[in-house]
Amino acid sequence: MPYILILYYSRTGATHAMAQQIARGVNRASGFEARLRTVPPVSAETEATAPAVPESGAPYATLDDLKHCSGLLLGSPTRFGNMAAPLKYFLDSTSSLWVNGDLIDKPAAVFTSTSSLHGGQEATLLSMMLPLLHQGMILVGQPYSEPALTRTRTGGTPYGASHWAAGPEPETLSEDEITLCQALGERLARLAEKTRDRKTTD
């Protein structure tokens, strides 16, 4: 079955919670499986290695997961206005996909979480788009036809879904954040379906 890849890195569970809601949105669009994948942490110890399989949560992503997806949703917590190093490290390993043009014309969207409301959400989302543009992917944002985008008092941007991971339970999303995460997943899946149908008729 064709799938939409939801590739993310999460430390406190906030970005993972977003990925789960995005997967629900993908599943609302018929014809695609939502495939959740994560990346291992990066260690300052150059000899350190992560286990081949994570103790909990989504499996680690492979280049094949990325190569064969019909669309991509890329998520990371904010690190000084940028994506987290583990996700960047994985993306830096995708040169073979770039050389072969494997991701050209596939739709992609981004999502992030921050511990402070103005902690660099938009800067992080924009930075995550750069490698996707180099891969030739088609970027998908959130239109203001989504009422939650103008109503939200927590996360949510036209550049992609976001979450304000504040308080003792940073993984708890607001209702508007949940709505926007699901809407982004569904929108990307529907665009991926149109892209697939166009290639079939060409």
Side-chain angles (χ1 to χ4, degrees):
M1 184 176 183
Y3 62 90
I4 302 297
L5 179 63
I6 305 170
L7 174 61
Y8 68 95
Y9 177 72
S10 185
R11 281 293 297 272
T12 66
T15 312
H16 172 70
M18 294 184 73
Q20 290 179 312
Q21 294 300 329
I22 287 169
R24 290 185 178 183
V26 169
N27 290 333
R28 285 204 303 241
S30 60
F32 289 104
E33 168 197 351
R35 181 176 294 185
L36 278 80
R37 293 291 184 268
T38 189
V39 294
V42 173
S43 172
E45 299 280 340
T46 56
E47 294 84 9
T49 57
V53 178
E55 294 180 6
S56 62
Y60 291 139
T62 66
L63 290 183
D64 275 348
D65 287 323
L66 193 52
K67 178 179 180 178
H68 299 295
C69 73
S70 297
L72 171 67
L73 287 134
L74 188 67
S76 172
T78 290
R79 296 290 183 266
F80 302 105
N82 210 326
M83 75 181 87
L87 192 62
K88 178 67 164 58
Y89 185 83
F90 178 81
L91 292 175
D92 284 347
S93 73
T94 61
S95 295
S96 61
L97 304 183
W98 174 76
V99 168
N100 294 326
D102 291 319
L103 302 180
I104 290 174
D105 289 343
K106 293 183 180 183
V110 291
F111 59 101
T112 191
S113 61
T114 57
S115 59
S116 58
L117 185 56
H118 302 289
Q121 290 187 355
E122 292 178 354
T124 300
L125 294 170
L126 291 169
S127 76
M128 293 168 67
M129 292 177 183
L130 297 179
L132 307 182
L133 285 167
H134 278 263
Q135 292 281 5
M137 303 190 84
I138 300 169
L139 297 182
V140 177
Q142 298 225 85
Y144 277 95
S145 56
E146 291 294 338
L149 199 56
T150 52
R151 184 179 61 230
T152 182
R153 294 295 178 265
T154 50
T157 81
Y159 308 106
S162 65
H163 164 55
W164 182 18
E169 297 181 346
E171 74 282 3
T172 301
L173 277 61
S174 71
E175 287 302 315
D176 287 332
E177 290 171 343
I178 289 171
T179 297
L180 291 169
C181 283
Q182 293 181 2
L184 184 62
E186 183 176 6
R187 183 166 193 247
L188 185 126
R190 294 198 185 285
L191 289 170
E193 187 175 15
K194 289 181 180 178
T195 301
R196 184 184 60 183
D197 291 345
R198 188 172 65 246
K199 287 181 178 179
T200 302
T201 57
D202 284 350

